[in-house]
Amino acid sequence: MRKFIVLVQKAPPGFQLTVHALHKCEIGQSWEAFGHYTADATGAVNVSEDPSLGGTYSGVEQMGLLWSLRPVPGSKPGLRLRKVNVQTPMEVTISVYQGHQTEGFMDQVPLASVVVERWFIAPGVRRIPITEDGLTATLFLPPGPGPFPGLLDLWGGSGKLVEYRSALMASHGIASLVLDYITPKITMETGRMVDLQYFETAYKVLEQHPQVLSSRIGMLGLSMGASMTLKMAVYSQVIKLRCAVSFGGSHVQPVEGSVEQINSDRIRVTEENEVIYRDLSLPIPSDPSLKVDVGRLKCPLLLVLGDDDQNTPAYESAMDMKEMMERAGNNHLLTILLYPNAGHMIEPPYMPYARGGTYRTLDTHERVKVLWGGETVAHSRAQEDAWKKTLVFLRENLFGSTNPGAP
């Protein structure tokens, strides 16, 4: 996603002003971010070069008006900003107000305003809903005839089709199929969670598509999606991956279990009534039946994690996976990206940081508040860096001509 330039001109030299961003998301919630600036001798402020003296971010932060977006005062707690319809832009109103303001923006008339459009899908990318074979999925194909390398994209335990990451992947030349495996139509109709064959069916849709290179398919998952990615990469006889990416995932899960068995009832709760799930898998078990045997992995694996992940013991899991792979002699396939003070939900760049959110448990379907962890600035930096390095990893392994699994 490209950075934007916010330039304020024709203000009096030394003028104190507030640059404010406002976004009304698709479910009607308003989000805002703002920085305090002082105009230079020419009466200008360049957000890309000049430091914010306060607000929702400080210092020189070109994209601070996006990554520090937060619900406006009075909003209900636990909100998370997600783009629902990727075929329309995310519209952000950038306004300039006199003085260093911190509240009451809606009651004031701005000195100037402009609407910025942020697109998650490049021109020419095709969005194709997939409902065949009981799947609930969406395929995004890059512009042109192809064939393209493919990617199976899995989000976490919140369910629904979250399409913006796959749309971005297709914008970078990768045919990406995002799969709903928590709340697909088949589960809604039968009340039963999907089995592992469901993921293999999605893989086959990619593999057999005429515009996808069948021998160049990867898998990327976040949270529970990462756990499923690890499991399928090691044990599936159908899914043959060129590479795998895990965001905030763990290999600790019953090897013979199904999707709903990854969760547990043993939880810790904060004073704010937020559920912490990370302790459920600690200490990392030594019993091989309770974790994926990554020593059998035959494709390159990228682990992306924050060291303040409160949802998954991602760091401890990564260290155990590293040890397992060293013992098995396949550790040359492993790359670990560890981000200090980053939390669980590492998203595409400039998406607003969320310390926690709400989640519906798979067994009782009870809605609970969960703590994801992290710190705003560090987490936002992690998202930007991880996105760049993930794209490099995917390009090297999905577009490269050599066998990525070779020593």
Side-chain angles (χ1 to χ4, degrees), residues 97-160:
Y97 292 90
Q98 181 174 344
H100 288 169
Q101 310 283 343
T102 59
E103 59 186 4
F105 293 100
M106 299 306 99
D107 301 326
Q108 303 177 53
V109 178
L111 301 174
S113 282
V114 65
V115 176
V116 176
E117 290 187 348
R118 301 287 296 172
W119 287 88
F120 289 81
I121 188 167
V125 170
R126 288 153 289 169
R127 176 186 178 274
I128 305 166
I130 303 292
T131 57
E132 62 196 77
D133 299 320
L135 296 176
T136 298
T138 307
L139 174 63
F140 289 89
L141 289 174
F148 311 101
L151 186 72
L152 190 55
D153 181 11
L154 306 180
W155 284 79
S158 298
K160 300 198 169 84

Short mmCIF file of all heavy atoms in Angstrom, two decimals, residues 97-160:
data_model
loop_
_atom_site.label_atom_id
_atom_site.label_comp_id
_atom_site.label_asym_id
_atom_site.label_seq_id
_atom_site.Cartn_x
_atom_site.Cartn_y
_atom_site.Cartn_z
N TYR A 97 -7.25 22.23 11.29
CA TYR A 97 -7.93 23.08 12.27
C TYR A 97 -6.92 24.04 12.90
O TYR A 97 -5.74 23.72 13.05
CB TYR A 97 -8.57 22.22 13.38
CG TYR A 97 -9.72 21.36 12.90
CD1 TYR A 97 -9.49 20.07 12.43
CD2 TYR A 97 -11.03 21.85 12.93
CE1 TYR A 97 -10.54 19.28 11.99
CE2 TYR A 97 -12.08 21.07 12.50
CZ TYR A 97 -11.83 19.78 12.02
OH TYR A 97 -12.88 19.01 11.59
N GLN A 98 -7.41 25.19 13.29
CA GLN A 98 -6.55 26.19 13.94
C GLN A 98 -6.22 25.76 15.37
O GLN A 98 -7.07 25.26 16.09
CB GLN A 98 -7.27 27.54 13.98
CG GLN A 98 -6.45 28.66 14.60
CD GLN A 98 -7.15 30.01 14.48
OE1 GLN A 98 -8.09 30.16 13.69
NE2 GLN A 98 -6.69 30.98 15.25
N GLY A 99 -4.94 25.94 15.74
CA GLY A 99 -4.53 25.61 17.10
C GLY A 99 -4.27 24.12 17.28
O GLY A 99 -4.49 23.31 16.37
N HIS A 100 -3.80 23.77 18.46
CA HIS A 100 -3.55 22.37 18.79
C HIS A 100 -4.76 21.82 19.53
O HIS A 100 -4.89 21.94 20.74
CB HIS A 100 -2.27 22.24 19.63
CG HIS A 100 -1.02 22.49 18.85
ND1 HIS A 100 0.22 22.66 19.42
CD2 HIS A 100 -0.82 22.60 17.50
CE1 HIS A 100 1.12 22.86 18.47
NE2 HIS A 100 0.52 22.83 17.31
N GLN A 101 -5.65 21.19 18.76
CA GLN A 101 -6.92 20.69 19.29
C GLN A 101 -6.80 19.20 19.64
O GLN A 101 -6.02 18.47 19.04
CB GLN A 101 -8.03 20.87 18.24
CG GLN A 101 -8.13 22.26 17.63
CD GLN A 101 -8.79 23.25 18.56
OE1 GLN A 101 -9.45 22.87 19.52
NE2 GLN A 101 -8.63 24.53 18.28
N THR A 102 -7.62 18.78 20.60
CA THR A 102 -7.65 17.36 20.95
C THR A 102 -9.06 16.78 20.94
O THR A 102 -9.23 15.56 21.02
CB THR A 102 -7.05 17.13 22.35
OG1 THR A 102 -7.79 17.89 23.30
CG2 THR A 102 -5.58 17.54 22.40
N GLU A 103 -10.06 17.62 20.84
CA GLU A 103 -11.44 17.12 20.86
C GLU A 103 -12.37 18.14 20.22
O GLU A 103 -11.96 19.26 19.89
CB GLU A 103 -11.88 16.84 22.32
CG GLU A 103 -11.81 18.06 23.21
CD GLU A 103 -12.10 17.73 24.67
OE1 GLU A 103 -12.29 16.54 24.98
OE2 GLU A 103 -12.15 18.67 25.48
N GLY A 104 -13.61 17.74 20.05
CA GLY A 104 -14.63 18.66 19.53
C GLY A 104 -14.45 19.02 18.07
O GLY A 104 -14.92 20.07 17.63
N PHE A 105 -13.81 18.14 17.30
CA PHE A 105 -13.54 18.47 15.90
C PHE A 105 -14.84 18.61 15.09
O PHE A 105 -14.93 19.44 14.18
CB PHE A 105 -12.65 17.39 15.27
CG PHE A 105 -11.26 17.34 15.84
CD1 PHE A 105 -10.91 16.39 16.79
CD2 PHE A 105 -10.31 18.26 15.44
CE1 PHE A 105 -9.63 16.35 17.32
CE2 PHE A 105 -9.02 18.23 15.96
CZ PHE A 105 -8.69 17.28 16.91
N MET A 106 -15.84 17.82 15.45
CA MET A 106 -17.08 17.86 14.69
C MET A 106 -17.87 19.16 14.93
O MET A 106 -18.75 19.51 14.15
CB MET A 106 -17.96 16.66 15.05
CG MET A 106 -17.36 15.29 14.76
SD MET A 106 -16.81 15.06 13.07
CE MET A 106 -15.05 15.37 13.20
N ASP A 107 -17.52 19.86 15.99
CA ASP A 107 -18.22 21.11 16.31
C ASP A 107 -17.53 22.32 15.72
O ASP A 107 -17.97 23.45 15.92
CB ASP A 107 -18.32 21.27 17.84
CG ASP A 107 -19.05 20.11 18.49
OD1 ASP A 107 -19.98 19.59 17.86
OD2 ASP A 107 -18.67 19.73 19.61
N GLN A 108 -16.44 22.10 15.01
CA GLN A 108 -15.68 23.22 14.45
C GLN A 108 -15.68 23.17 12.93
O GLN A 108 -15.86 22.11 12.33
CB GLN A 108 -14.23 23.18 14.94
CG GLN A 108 -14.08 23.20 16.46
CD GLN A 108 -12.62 23.08 16.86
OE1 GLN A 108 -11.78 23.84 16.39
NE2 GLN A 108 -12.32 22.12 17.73
N VAL A 109 -15.45 24.32 12.33
CA VAL A 109 -15.33 24.41 10.87
C VAL A 109 -13.84 24.35 10.53
O VAL A 109 -13.06 25.18 10.99
CB VAL A 109 -15.94 25.70 10.32
CG1 VAL A 109 -15.75 25.78 8.81
CG2 VAL A 109 -17.42 25.78 10.68
N PRO A 110 -13.40 23.36 9.75
CA PRO A 110 -11.98 23.27 9.42
C PRO A 110 -11.54 24.39 8.49
O PRO A 110 -12.34 24.96 7.75
CB PRO A 110 -11.87 21.90 8.74
CG PRO A 110 -13.22 21.62 8.19
CD PRO A 110 -14.19 22.27 9.15
N LEU A 111 -10.25 24.68 8.52
CA LEU A 111 -9.69 25.69 7.63
C LEU A 111 -9.59 25.15 6.20
O LEU A 111 -9.68 25.92 5.24
CB LEU A 111 -8.30 26.10 8.11
CG LEU A 111 -8.23 26.69 9.52
CD1 LEU A 111 -6.77 26.93 9.93
CD2 LEU A 111 -9.02 27.99 9.60
N ALA A 112 -9.40 23.86 6.08
CA ALA A 112 -9.34 23.21 4.77
C ALA A 112 -9.59 21.72 4.96
O ALA A 112 -9.33 21.17 6.03
CB ALA A 112 -7.97 23.44 4.12
N SER A 113 -10.10 21.06 3.90
CA SER A 113 -10.37 19.62 3.96
C SER A 113 -10.18 18.99 2.59
O SER A 113 -10.38 19.66 1.56
CB SER A 113 -11.81 19.33 4.42
OG SER A 113 -11.95 19.47 5.81
N VAL A 114 -9.81 17.73 2.59
CA VAL A 114 -9.72 16.97 1.35
C VAL A 114 -10.03 15.51 1.68
O VAL A 114 -9.74 15.04 2.77
CB VAL A 114 -8.32 17.10 0.70
CG1 VAL A 114 -7.25 16.46 1.58
CG2 VAL A 114 -8.29 16.51 -0.70
N VAL A 115 -10.66 14.81 0.73
CA VAL A 115 -10.97 13.40 0.92
C VAL A 115 -9.94 12.55 0.19
O VAL A 115 -9.67 12.75 -1.00
CB VAL A 115 -12.39 13.05 0.41
CG1 VAL A 115 -12.64 11.55 0.54
CG2 VAL A 115 -13.44 13.83 1.20
N VAL A 116 -9.32 11.62 0.93
CA VAL A 116 -8.31 10.72 0.37
C VAL A 116 -8.93 9.34 0.21
O VAL A 116 -9.60 8.85 1.12
CB VAL A 116 -7.08 10.65 1.30
CG1 VAL A 116 -6.07 9.63 0.77
CG2 VAL A 116 -6.44 12.02 1.45
N GLU A 117 -8.71 8.71 -0.94
CA GLU A 117 -9.19 7.35 -1.17
C GLU A 117 -8.04 6.36 -1.02
O GLU A 117 -6.97 6.54 -1.61
CB GLU A 117 -9.78 7.21 -2.58
CG GLU A 117 -11.09 7.95 -2.77
CD GLU A 117 -11.70 7.64 -4.13
OE1 GLU A 117 -11.00 7.04 -4.98
OE2 GLU A 117 -12.88 7.98 -4.34
N ARG A 118 -8.26 5.32 -0.20
CA ARG A 118 -7.29 4.25 -0.04
C ARG A 118 -7.90 2.97 -0.62
O ARG A 118 -8.91 2.47 -0.12
CB ARG A 118 -6.96 4.04 1.44
CG ARG A 118 -6.39 5.25 2.13
CD ARG A 118 -4.97 5.54 1.71
NE ARG A 118 -4.05 4.48 2.08
CZ ARG A 118 -2.78 4.44 1.69
NH1 ARG A 118 -2.30 5.36 0.88
NH2 ARG A 118 -1.99 3.47 2.09
N TRP A 119 -7.27 2.44 -1.65
CA TRP A 119 -7.78 1.24 -2.31
C TRP A 119 -6.99 0.01 -1.87
O TRP A 119 -5.77 0.05 -1.74
CB TRP A 119 -7.69 1.38 -3.83
CG TRP A 119 -8.69 2.31 -4.41
CD1 TRP A 119 -8.57 3.67 -4.57
CD2 TRP A 119 -10.00 1.98 -4.89
NE1 TRP A 119 -9.71 4.19 -5.13
CE2 TRP A 119 -10.61 3.18 -5.33
CE3 TRP A 119 -10.71 0.78 -4.98
CZ2 TRP A 119 -11.89 3.21 -5.86
CZ3 TRP A 119 -11.98 0.81 -5.51
CH2 TRP A 119 -12.57 2.02 -5.95
N PHE A 120 -7.67 -1.09 -1.68
CA PHE A 120 -7.04 -2.36 -1.34
C PHE A 120 -6.93 -3.28 -2.55
O PHE A 120 -6.42 -4.39 -2.43
CB PHE A 120 -7.84 -3.08 -0.24
CG PHE A 120 -7.74 -2.42 1.10
CD1 PHE A 120 -8.51 -1.32 1.42
CD2 PHE A 120 -6.86 -2.91 2.07
CE1 PHE A 120 -8.42 -0.71 2.66
CE2 PHE A 120 -6.76 -2.30 3.31
CZ PHE A 120 -7.53 -1.20 3.61
N ILE A 121 -7.39 -2.80 -3.68
CA ILE A 121 -7.41 -3.64 -4.88
C ILE A 121 -6.97 -2.80 -6.06
O ILE A 121 -7.45 -1.70 -6.28
CB ILE A 121 -8.83 -4.24 -5.09
CG1 ILE A 121 -8.85 -5.26 -6.19
CG2 ILE A 121 -9.87 -3.15 -5.31
CD1 ILE A 121 -10.14 -6.09 -6.23
N ALA A 122 -6.00 -3.32 -6.82
CA ALA A 122 -5.46 -2.59 -7.95
C ALA A 122 -6.40 -2.68 -9.15
O ALA A 122 -7.21 -3.62 -9.25
CB ALA A 122 -4.09 -3.15 -8.33
N PRO A 123 -6.33 -1.70 -10.05
CA PRO A 123 -7.14 -1.78 -11.28
C PRO A 123 -6.86 -3.08 -12.02
O PRO A 123 -5.70 -3.50 -12.17
CB PRO A 123 -6.68 -0.57 -12.09
CG PRO A 123 -6.14 0.39 -11.08
CD PRO A 123 -5.53 -0.47 -10.00
N GLY A 124 -7.90 -3.75 -12.47
CA GLY A 124 -7.75 -4.98 -13.24
C GLY A 124 -7.78 -6.26 -12.43
O GLY A 124 -7.90 -7.35 -13.01
N VAL A 125 -7.66 -6.16 -11.10
CA VAL A 125 -7.77 -7.36 -10.27
C VAL A 125 -9.21 -7.85 -10.30
O VAL A 125 -10.16 -7.07 -10.15
CB VAL A 125 -7.33 -7.08 -8.81
CG1 VAL A 125 -7.68 -8.26 -7.90
CG2 VAL A 125 -5.84 -6.79 -8.76
N ARG A 126 -9.39 -9.17 -10.48
CA ARG A 126 -10.74 -9.74 -10.58
C ARG A 126 -11.12 -10.45 -9.27
O ARG A 126 -10.33 -11.20 -8.72
CB ARG A 126 -10.80 -10.73 -11.73
CG ARG A 126 -10.75 -10.08 -13.10
CD ARG A 126 -10.17 -11.01 -14.15
NE ARG A 126 -8.73 -11.21 -13.95
CZ ARG A 126 -8.01 -12.14 -14.58
NH1 ARG A 126 -8.62 -12.95 -15.45
NH2 ARG A 126 -6.72 -12.26 -14.37
N ARG A 127 -12.32 -10.16 -8.81
CA ARG A 127 -12.85 -10.77 -7.59
C ARG A 127 -13.90 -11.81 -7.98
O ARG A 127 -14.91 -11.49 -8.63
CB ARG A 127 -13.48 -9.70 -6.69
CG ARG A 127 -14.13 -10.26 -5.42
CD ARG A 127 -14.85 -9.17 -4.65
NE ARG A 127 -15.50 -9.74 -3.47
CZ ARG A 127 -16.72 -10.29 -3.47
NH1 ARG A 127 -17.43 -10.34 -4.60
NH2 ARG A 127 -17.23 -10.78 -2.37
N ILE A 128 -13.65 -13.08 -7.58
CA ILE A 128 -14.53 -14.18 -8.00
C ILE A 128 -15.02 -14.94 -6.77
O ILE A 128 -14.24 -15.64 -6.11
CB ILE A 128 -13.76 -15.15 -8.93
CG1 ILE A 128 -13.17 -14.39 -10.13
CG2 ILE A 128 -14.67 -16.28 -9.40
CD1 ILE A 128 -12.14 -15.17 -10.91
N PRO A 129 -16.30 -14.81 -6.41
CA PRO A 129 -16.84 -15.59 -5.30
C PRO A 129 -16.80 -17.09 -5.63
O PRO A 129 -17.11 -17.50 -6.74
CB PRO A 129 -18.29 -15.09 -5.16
CG PRO A 129 -18.31 -13.76 -5.86
CD PRO A 129 -17.31 -13.87 -6.97
N ILE A 130 -16.40 -17.90 -4.66
CA ILE A 130 -16.31 -19.35 -4.83
C ILE A 130 -17.31 -20.03 -3.90
O ILE A 130 -17.22 -19.89 -2.68
CB ILE A 130 -14.89 -19.87 -4.52
CG1 ILE A 130 -13.84 -19.15 -5.40
CG2 ILE A 130 -14.82 -21.37 -4.67
CD1 ILE A 130 -13.91 -19.48 -6.85
N THR A 131 -18.28 -20.74 -4.48
CA THR A 131 -19.27 -21.45 -3.67
C THR A 131 -19.33 -22.94 -4.02
O THR A 131 -20.09 -23.69 -3.41
CB THR A 131 -20.67 -20.84 -3.87
OG1 THR A 131 -21.00 -20.88 -5.27
CG2 THR A 131 -20.71 -19.40 -3.38
N GLU A 132 -18.51 -23.36 -4.97
CA GLU A 132 -18.53 -24.77 -5.41
C GLU A 132 -18.01 -25.69 -4.31
O GLU A 132 -17.21 -25.28 -3.45
CB GLU A 132 -17.69 -24.93 -6.68
CG GLU A 132 -16.23 -24.57 -6.49
CD GLU A 132 -15.51 -24.36 -7.80
OE1 GLU A 132 -15.69 -23.29 -8.42
OE2 GLU A 132 -14.76 -25.26 -8.19
N ASP A 133 -18.46 -26.93 -4.32
CA ASP A 133 -18.00 -27.97 -3.40
C ASP A 133 -18.17 -27.58 -1.93
O ASP A 133 -17.37 -27.98 -1.08
CB ASP A 133 -16.54 -28.33 -3.67
CG ASP A 133 -16.33 -28.86 -5.08
OD1 ASP A 133 -17.18 -29.64 -5.55
OD2 ASP A 133 -15.34 -28.50 -5.73
N GLY A 134 -19.19 -26.77 -1.64
CA GLY A 134 -19.46 -26.40 -0.26
C GLY A 134 -18.55 -25.34 0.32
O GLY A 134 -18.60 -25.06 1.52
N LEU A 135 -17.72 -24.73 -0.51
CA LEU A 135 -16.78 -23.72 -0.03
C LEU A 135 -17.45 -22.35 0.14
O LEU A 135 -18.39 -22.01 -0.59
CB LEU A 135 -15.60 -23.57 -0.99
CG LEU A 135 -14.68 -24.78 -1.16
CD1 LEU A 135 -13.63 -24.48 -2.22
CD2 LEU A 135 -14.02 -25.15 0.17
N THR A 136 -16.96 -21.58 1.10
CA THR A 136 -17.27 -20.16 1.20
C THR A 136 -15.93 -19.45 1.08
O THR A 136 -15.13 -19.44 2.02
CB THR A 136 -17.94 -19.82 2.54
OG1 THR A 136 -19.19 -20.52 2.63
CG2 THR A 136 -18.21 -18.32 2.64
N ALA A 137 -15.66 -18.90 -0.10
CA ALA A 137 -14.34 -18.35 -0.39
C ALA A 137 -14.45 -17.28 -1.46
O ALA A 137 -15.48 -17.15 -2.13
CB ALA A 137 -13.39 -19.47 -0.84
N THR A 138 -13.38 -16.52 -1.62
CA THR A 138 -13.28 -15.55 -2.70
C THR A 138 -11.89 -15.65 -3.30
O THR A 138 -10.89 -15.65 -2.58
CB THR A 138 -13.52 -14.11 -2.21
OG1 THR A 138 -14.75 -14.04 -1.50
CG2 THR A 138 -13.56 -13.14 -3.38
N LEU A 139 -11.85 -15.73 -4.63
CA LEU A 139 -10.59 -15.79 -5.35
C LEU A 139 -10.32 -14.43 -5.99
O LEU A 139 -11.19 -13.85 -6.64
CB LEU A 139 -10.65 -16.87 -6.44
CG LEU A 139 -9.45 -16.96 -7.39
CD1 LEU A 139 -8.18 -17.33 -6.63
CD2 LEU A 139 -9.73 -17.97 -8.50
N PHE A 140 -9.10 -13.93 -5.78
CA PHE A 140 -8.67 -12.68 -6.40
C PHE A 140 -7.56 -13.00 -7.40
O PHE A 140 -6.54 -13.61 -7.04
CB PHE A 140 -8.16 -11.69 -5.36
CG PHE A 140 -9.25 -11.12 -4.49
CD1 PHE A 140 -9.62 -11.76 -3.32
CD2 PHE A 140 -9.91 -9.96 -4.86
CE1 PHE A 140 -10.64 -11.25 -2.53
CE2 PHE A 140 -10.93 -9.43 -4.07
CZ PHE A 140 -11.30 -10.08 -2.90
N LEU A 141 -7.81 -12.64 -8.67
CA LEU A 141 -6.84 -12.90 -9.73
C LEU A 141 -6.18 -11.60 -10.16
O LEU A 141 -6.86 -10.58 -10.37
CB LEU A 141 -7.52 -13.54 -10.94
CG LEU A 141 -8.00 -14.99 -10.78
CD1 LEU A 141 -8.80 -15.40 -12.02
CD2 LEU A 141 -6.83 -15.92 -10.55
N PRO A 142 -4.85 -11.59 -10.30
CA PRO A 142 -4.16 -10.38 -10.76
C PRO A 142 -4.57 -10.01 -12.18
O PRO A 142 -5.16 -10.84 -12.90
CB PRO A 142 -2.68 -10.78 -10.71
CG PRO A 142 -2.62 -11.96 -9.79
CD PRO A 142 -3.93 -12.68 -9.99
N PRO A 143 -4.28 -8.79 -12.61
CA PRO A 143 -4.58 -8.40 -13.99
C PRO A 143 -3.76 -9.23 -14.98
O PRO A 143 -2.67 -9.70 -14.65
CB PRO A 143 -4.14 -6.92 -14.04
CG PRO A 143 -4.04 -6.48 -12.61
CD PRO A 143 -3.69 -7.70 -11.82
N GLY A 144 -4.30 -9.43 -16.15
CA GLY A 144 -3.57 -10.15 -17.18
C GLY A 144 -3.99 -11.60 -17.30
O GLY A 144 -4.77 -12.11 -16.50
N PRO A 145 -3.43 -12.30 -18.29
CA PRO A 145 -3.86 -13.68 -18.58
C PRO A 145 -3.26 -14.72 -17.65
O PRO A 145 -3.77 -15.83 -17.54
CB PRO A 145 -3.37 -13.89 -20.01
CG PRO A 145 -2.18 -12.98 -20.14
CD PRO A 145 -2.48 -11.79 -19.29
N GLY A 146 -2.13 -14.40 -16.99
CA GLY A 146 -1.49 -15.40 -16.14
C GLY A 146 -0.69 -16.39 -16.99
O GLY A 146 -0.36 -16.10 -18.14
N PRO A 147 -0.43 -17.60 -16.47
CA PRO A 147 -0.85 -18.06 -15.14
C PRO A 147 -0.02 -17.44 -14.03
O PRO A 147 1.11 -17.00 -14.26
CB PRO A 147 -0.64 -19.57 -15.21
CG PRO A 147 0.48 -19.74 -16.20
CD PRO A 147 0.31 -18.65 -17.21
N PHE A 148 -0.60 -17.41 -12.81
CA PHE A 148 0.01 -16.76 -11.66
C PHE A 148 0.28 -17.78 -10.56
O PHE A 148 -0.40 -18.80 -10.46
CB PHE A 148 -0.93 -15.69 -11.09
CG PHE A 148 -1.50 -14.76 -12.11
CD1 PHE A 148 -2.80 -14.93 -12.59
CD2 PHE A 148 -0.76 -13.70 -12.59
CE1 PHE A 148 -3.34 -14.07 -13.53
CE2 PHE A 148 -1.28 -12.83 -13.53
CZ PHE A 148 -2.58 -13.01 -14.01
N PRO A 149 1.27 -17.52 -9.72
CA PRO A 149 1.39 -18.33 -8.51
C PRO A 149 0.17 -18.13 -7.62
O PRO A 149 -0.51 -17.09 -7.72
CB PRO A 149 2.67 -17.81 -7.84
CG PRO A 149 2.92 -16.48 -8.43
CD PRO A 149 2.30 -16.48 -9.80
N GLY A 150 -0.11 -19.10 -6.76
CA GLY A 150 -1.32 -19.03 -5.95
C GLY A 150 -1.03 -18.99 -4.46
O GLY A 150 0.05 -19.38 -4.00
N LEU A 151 -2.02 -18.54 -3.71
CA LEU A 151 -1.91 -18.46 -2.26
C LEU A 151 -3.26 -18.77 -1.63
O LEU A 151 -4.29 -18.24 -2.05
CB LEU A 151 -1.47 -17.06 -1.84
CG LEU A 151 -1.17 -16.86 -0.34
CD1 LEU A 151 0.13 -17.57 0.04
CD2 LEU A 151 -1.06 -15.37 -0.01
N LEU A 152 -3.25 -19.66 -0.63
CA LEU A 152 -4.45 -19.93 0.17
C LEU A 152 -4.34 -19.09 1.43
O LEU A 152 -3.37 -19.21 2.18
CB LEU A 152 -4.53 -21.42 0.50
CG LEU A 152 -5.82 -21.95 1.12
CD1 LEU A 152 -7.03 -21.62 0.26
CD2 LEU A 152 -5.72 -23.45 1.32
N ASP A 153 -5.33 -18.21 1.67
CA ASP A 153 -5.27 -17.17 2.71
C ASP A 153 -6.29 -17.48 3.80
O ASP A 153 -7.50 -17.52 3.54
CB ASP A 153 -5.56 -15.82 2.04
CG ASP A 153 -5.50 -14.64 3.01
OD1 ASP A 153 -5.05 -14.83 4.15
OD2 ASP A 153 -5.90 -13.54 2.60
N LEU A 154 -5.80 -17.70 5.03
CA LEU A 154 -6.67 -18.04 6.16
C LEU A 154 -6.55 -16.99 7.25
O LEU A 154 -5.45 -16.73 7.75
CB LEU A 154 -6.30 -19.40 6.75
CG LEU A 154 -6.25 -20.61 5.82
CD1 LEU A 154 -5.87 -21.85 6.63
CD2 LEU A 154 -7.58 -20.82 5.13
N TRP A 155 -7.69 -16.40 7.65
CA TRP A 155 -7.71 -15.52 8.81
C TRP A 155 -7.96 -16.35 10.06
O TRP A 155 -7.91 -17.57 10.05
CB TRP A 155 -8.76 -14.42 8.62
CG TRP A 155 -8.30 -13.37 7.67
CD1 TRP A 155 -8.29 -13.44 6.30
CD2 TRP A 155 -7.72 -12.10 8.00
NE1 TRP A 155 -7.76 -12.29 5.77
CE2 TRP A 155 -7.41 -11.45 6.78
CE3 TRP A 155 -7.46 -11.43 9.19
CZ2 TRP A 155 -6.84 -10.17 6.73
CZ3 TRP A 155 -6.90 -10.16 9.15
CH2 TRP A 155 -6.59 -9.55 7.94
N GLY A 156 -8.26 -15.68 11.19
CA GLY A 156 -8.35 -16.37 12.47
C GLY A 156 -9.74 -16.81 12.84
O GLY A 156 -10.62 -17.00 11.99
N GLY A 157 -9.95 -16.96 14.14
CA GLY A 157 -11.16 -17.59 14.66
C GLY A 157 -12.40 -16.73 14.67
O GLY A 157 -13.45 -17.18 15.12
N SER A 158 -12.32 -15.49 14.18
CA SER A 158 -13.50 -14.63 14.17
C SER A 158 -14.47 -14.97 13.05
O SER A 158 -15.63 -14.58 13.08
CB SER A 158 -13.10 -13.15 14.06
OG SER A 158 -12.32 -12.77 15.17
N GLY A 159 -13.98 -15.69 12.04
CA GLY A 159 -14.85 -16.10 10.95
C GLY A 159 -15.12 -15.00 9.94
O GLY A 159 -14.50 -13.95 9.95
N LYS A 160 -16.04 -15.28 9.03
CA LYS A 160 -16.43 -14.41 7.92
C LYS A 160 -15.29 -14.31 6.91
O LYS A 160 -14.15 -14.65 7.18
CB LYS A 160 -16.86 -13.02 8.41
CG LYS A 160 -18.05 -13.05 9.35
CD LYS A 160 -18.69 -11.68 9.44
CE LYS A 160 -20.02 -11.74 10.13
NZ LYS A 160 -19.95 -11.68 11.58
#
